[in-house]
Each structure stands twice: as structure tokens, then as C-alpha cells.
Amino acid sequence: MYGMINKAVKAMVQKDFGDEIWEKILAESGVPDDSFLTLRSYDDELTYALVGASAKVLELPAESILEVFGKHWVLHTATESYDNVMSATGSGFIEFLENVNSLHDRITTTFVDYRPPWFDVNRISDNEIELHYQSGREGLSPFVRGIIDGLAVRFDSEVTVTDTKSIEVDEGEHTVFHILCEAA
Ligand code: HEM
């Protein structure tokens, strides 16, 4: 994945747990310390190794690290570095999710040949949606779970994920989040 992701994991750990813990995590991961350039693409294994080492050092499940990371991604990484892109994507929770594919499309000139996920929103009623997340990668749905929490804060919305189920696919992952949110 692009170094932007690795750099964001580093920023999240440093902010929430401090520099010393970050140095421990980096050493535990075995990831070279030149793997953090925003616009360079690195092997996905490096990102997974950082998450795995964070889980080990912090004694938390990897899923929890990914959730905290997802929230940090929305509230800090994306907002601080790409606020114009974020603002153009929507002014409410559901509208924003409906436009995330075009957000990722819009930045293909910056992140050449990258592999962003695909999202579909099915509106069930005024305050209920099904969010489909499809990725060529595995194990990142807790990251999306954290992103949902971050977006709820961004839009100051009451959001509850009532169910999460995975649909079997040949490669990668397809997860469906059932979400209750303020009427839109
Ligand atoms: C302007 C803000 C954003 C930027 C610059 C951005 C950029 C990126 C980049 C560079 C990757 C790595 C993919 C790769 O290297 O192949 C990525 C992955 C990802 N992005 Fe975005 N993104 C943004 C906002 C969002 C938002 C708002 C969401 C969700 C609502 C999202 C969901 C994801 C997920 C889940 C992944 C993990 C990859 C996967 O699932 O396979 N991103 N994004």
C-alpha cells in the first residue's frame, strides 16, 4: 500500500501512545524505517506487519488497532492532508459514503496504480442503510468500522452499526455493515 497508510499508522501511534512505544513497534515489526514516504507504494505485508506489531506491543487485538486507525484516518490524516477532497465528497454521513468511490477516483493521478476498495450504499429507509465494502485485500473491515465512527464524529451524527456480515468471495473481502443513522 502507499506509504501514506504506513505514515498514518505511525502518526496514530505517536499521537495516542508516544514516540517510545512507536520505536518499540517499529523494531518489533521488522519494517525498514524508510517505508513511510507518502507517494511511494510498498508491499502490503509491511502495513500488516505494522498493525501486527502494534497489537503485540499494545496488547490489544489487531481489530481494535485497525478500528482506532480508521477513526484517526478520517479525523486526522484525511482531514489534515486532503480537506478539500473530503469537503467535496459530501456534507452528510450517507451522502459522503455514497461518494467515496468518486473520492478515490479523483486521486488516481496522485496515487498511480493503487487499489482502493469499492463501496455501495443501499438505502433501506430514511435512517437505515446497508454499506457494502469490497476489497482485493483481506482483514481490513475493522478499519472500515473505525472509518464509520470517524465519519459519525465528522458529521456530528448518531450512527449505530447493528450488524456486520461477510459475504464469501474468491479473493479479498466483501463485508456488509447494517447501519442506523440520523434521518437523511
Ligand atoms: C482524501 C482522503 C483519502 C485519501 C487520500 C485516500 C487514499 C487512499 C490510499 C492511498 C489507499 C491505499 C491503497 C493502495 O495503496 O493500494 C487507500 C486505501 C483505503 N481507503 Fe482511502 N483515501 C481517502 C479517504 C478514504 C475514505 C473517506 C474511506 C472510507 C469511507 C477510505 C477507505 C479506504 C480503505 C478501506 C482502504 C484500505 C484498502 C482496502 O480496503 O483494500 N478512504 N486510500
Side-chain angles (χ1 to χ4, degrees):
M1 269 189 273
Y2 265 85
M4 182 187 179
I5 303 272
N6 299 345
K7 203 171 144 187
V9 174
K10 176 178 174 177
M12 181 265 292
V13 172
Q14 284 177 323
K15 180 177 171 295
D16 290 357
F17 305 99
D19 287 345
E20 219 169 287
I21 295 282
W22 167 249
E23 291 306 328
K24 266 193 201 161
I25 289 173
L26 186 62
E28 170 70 32
S29 71
V31 167
D33 56 13
D34 62 355
S35 310
F36 300 89
L37 294 175
T38 303
L39 296 180
R40 244 198 77 182
S41 183
Y42 302 94
D43 198 313
D44 280 5
E45 288 312 315
L46 299 185
T47 311
Y48 286 104
L50 290 174
V51 173
S54 304
K56 191 165 173 194
V57 170
L58 297 170
E59 298 180 3
L60 288 167
E63 288 76 11
S64 309
I65 304 286
L66 284 166
E67 282 192 28
V68 175
F69 179 44
K71 200 165 172 182
H72 179 94
W73 178 258
V74 172
L75 296 177
H76 298 280
T77 319
T79 309
E80 283 156 22
S81 309
Y82 292 87
D83 196 38
N84 52 343
V85 181
M86 291 291 282
S87 301
T89 303
S91 50
F93 178 79
I94 299 179
E95 184 198 358
F96 187 94
L97 287 173
E98 284 174 333
N99 292 328
V100 171
N101 296 331
S102 25
L103 178 160
H104 277 137
D105 268 0
R106 218 173 295 144
I107 53 180
T108 44
T109 43
T110 310
F111 300 99
V112 180
D113 285 340
Y114 82 145
R115 292 192 296 131
W118 182 261
F119 291 93
D120 277 309
V121 176
N122 291 345
R123 284 188 187 246
I124 296 170
S125 70
D126 267 2
N127 65 341
E128 200 176 358
I129 59 164
E130 247 183 21
L131 174 68
H132 288 251
Y133 158 70
Q134 287 171 271
S135 167
R137 303 179 171 95
E138 281 177 40
L140 297 182
S141 57
F143 176 50
V144 177
R145 182 65 187 78
I147 287 176
I148 293 169
D149 287 344
L151 290 175
V153 174
R154 179 180 172 88
F155 296 114
D156 198 14
S157 302
E158 280 290 326
V159 170
T160 316
V161 176
T162 54
D163 188 32
T164 306
K165 61 173 191 269
S166 43
I167 292 180
E168 220 168 282
V169 281
D170 289 340
E171 211 192 310
E173 135 164 28
H174 182 170
T175 303
V176 187
F177 299 91
H178 197 122
I179 301 174
L180 293 180
C181 44
E182 276 168 7

